[in-house]
Amino acid sequence: MPPGVDPRTLIPLPPTSTWTPSPTPTTPPPTVPTATEVSLLPSPTPPARTPLPREVQIPPPTFPPLIPPGGLSPIDTPTPSATPQPSNTPTITPTPYVLVESGLVSLRSGPGVDYPLVAQLGPGIPVAIVGRNPEGAWLQICCVNGNSVWVAQNHVQVVNDASSAVLVLAETPPTPTETSTPTDTPTVTPTPTVTPYPFQVSEGPLFFPTNNDLFTIWASIAAPGPDGGIPLPGYYLKVQFRNRDDRSTFDDRPNTKGESPSADRFGYNVPAGTASGNRVRFNYKFEFFPPDPKEEDPFTTDTRLHVIDGYWRVFVIDGNGTQLSPAVEFNTLLGNNNREVFIGWMRTN
């Protein structure tokens, strides 16, 4: 191609098409159906649901049965295979002992009233039983000043079984020796202690049960001397009574057996024998036989024992009624069958 020549004049070009934009289509607005048309439109068919897989059924857990609060029943209790071994724990036998319910009880050196009086045991003091005599009327207890003493079984309350106590054969009671006259020795006389009464209680009161309606007091009124004292004649007991419901004063009670002064010799309330636990020596006796309430009121339910349902006070007097000893008090309330009493008084000045 020569220079300066327009190539387009030499090479024919293809025709060029001109772009013409297409007209924008116009979309008509959606038509909103009326209420009538809506109700006439067919309901859309819901899409089909894909069924879910079935749940896997898991069985509940299994637990062992609970043991009830009271333990296994006899049926459920397994039988032990091992043989139980015998227990080596020894059986403990309760120690028997005596107690005094009220008053004072005599303690002697042997099983009988012929043995010397060692001491007296008051109420509420437990003392162990270490032996008994073959008849069982006396018990050996321990101890007074390190020595065993004897007490009448009927005078005390026995706690626990005393049948296994050792049988003890006591020696013969000692023969009382006469007291020799002492030789006067010049000594300085101390100032005496003033004693309000010439007689003091030396033994008792001792109480014996009875089934009769009498109230009886056996008394020993004596002076110091061999064999437990010398009986003193010419004395009496003043016996007074106050009913349970009467809180005023004591009233005198007569000796319904007939009043007699104390004697110059001793007697015994029961004969000697194997069952002589209640045997006491006395030289004065008081007896009160209560009147029958039915004699005044035939319809009453009271008995003679209701007449002596109360409290007693007893002391020594002379023939003029002068009080010579402190008063001793006790009761015969209903249910208390200890209506026989022994009291010993000893002259001290």
Side-chain angles (χ1 to χ4, degrees):
M1 176 178 297
V5 177
D6 185 1
R8 288 177 300 180
T9 60
L10 298 178
I11 299 172
L13 294 176
T16 301
S17 61
T18 302
W19 175 79
T20 303
S22 302
T24 301
T26 302
T27 303
T31 304
V32 178
T34 63
T36 303
E37 293 174 343
V38 169
S39 61
L40 296 178
L41 293 176
S43 299
T45 303
R49 300 180 60 182
T50 303
L52 297 176
R54 290 178 59 87
E55 296 179 355
V56 178
Q57 298 296 326
I58 301 177
T62 302
F63 298 96
L66 296 178
I67 298 177
L72 296 176
S73 65
I75 297 176
D76 297 329
T77 303
T79 303
S81 56
T83 303
Q85 298 296 324
S87 175
N88 294 327
T89 304
T91 302
I92 300 175
T93 303
T95 301
Y97 60 92
V98 300
L99 277 178
V100 178
E101 295 183 353
S102 62
L104 299 174
V105 173
S106 297
L107 305 179
R108 298 184 178 274
S109 62
V113 294
D114 297 330
Y115 291 84
L117 178 66
V118 177
Q120 291 180 313
L121 179 63
I125 304 174
V127 185
I129 299 173
V130 296
R132 58 189 176 93
N133 69 338
E135 296 79 16
W138 289 81
L139 299 173
Q140 189 180 42
I141 60 176
C142 184
C143 294
V144 174
N145 296 328
N147 298 318
S148 298
V149 294
W150 292 82
V151 62
Q153 181 174 354
N154 290 339
H155 297 172
V156 295
Q157 176 187 0
V158 178
V159 182
N160 297 328
D161 184 14
S163 61
S164 60
V166 179
L167 293 179
V168 180
L169 298 177
E171 299 178 355
T172 305
T175 302
T177 56
E178 296 184 1
T179 304
S180 58
T181 303
T183 304
D184 293 336
T185 303
T187 56
V188 178
T189 302
T191 302
T193 302
V194 178
T195 302
Y197 299 109
F199 286 92
Q200 299 293 322
V201 175
S202 60
E203 186 174 2
L206 307 179
F207 301 97
F208 311 127
T210 180
N211 293 324
N212 59 44
D213 296 338
L214 288 173
F215 170 69
T216 307
I217 299 177
W218 313 90
S220 169
I221 304 175
D227 196 22
I230 303 171
L232 294 179
Y235 295 94
Y236 303 84
L237 292 185
K238 173 71 75 171
V239 181
Q240 299 176 322
F241 176 77
R242 175 169 60 82
N243 191 269
R244 179 201 295 259
D245 299 327
D246 181 7
R247 297 296 179 182
S248 56
T249 58
F250 284 89
D251 298 324
D252 293 346
R253 287 293 181 268
N255 195 338
T256 54
K257 69 174 287 294
E259 187 63 274
S260 298
S262 58
D264 59 357
R265 68 179 67 88
F266 287 122
Y268 288 91
N269 62 331
V270 295
T274 57
S276 60
N278 293 346
R279 191 168 187 256
V280 293
R281 191 176 63 169
F282 73 99
N283 62 335
Y284 178 88
K285 180 181 179 181
F286 173 90
E287 190 173 82
F288 179 72
F289 187 60
D292 187 357
K294 295 185 183 296
E295 295 179 358
E296 296 183 2
D297 182 5
F299 302 101
T300 183
T301 58
D302 290 347
T303 64
R304 295 182 189 273
L305 297 182
H306 286 83
V307 179
I308 57 174
D309 177 25
Y311 308 88
W312 298 87
R313 184 168 66 180
V314 183
F315 51 88
V316 179
I317 60 173
D318 59 15
N320 297 321
T322 303
Q323 183 173 350
L324 301 178
S325 75
V328 177
E329 296 187 6
F330 46 88
N331 72 77
T332 53
L333 300 176
L334 286 178
N336 179 8
N337 294 328
N338 295 322
R339 292 187 294 274
E340 291 191 4
V341 185
F342 170 78
I343 309 174
W345 279 278
M346 188 71 69
R347 189 177 184 94
T348 57
N349 58 21

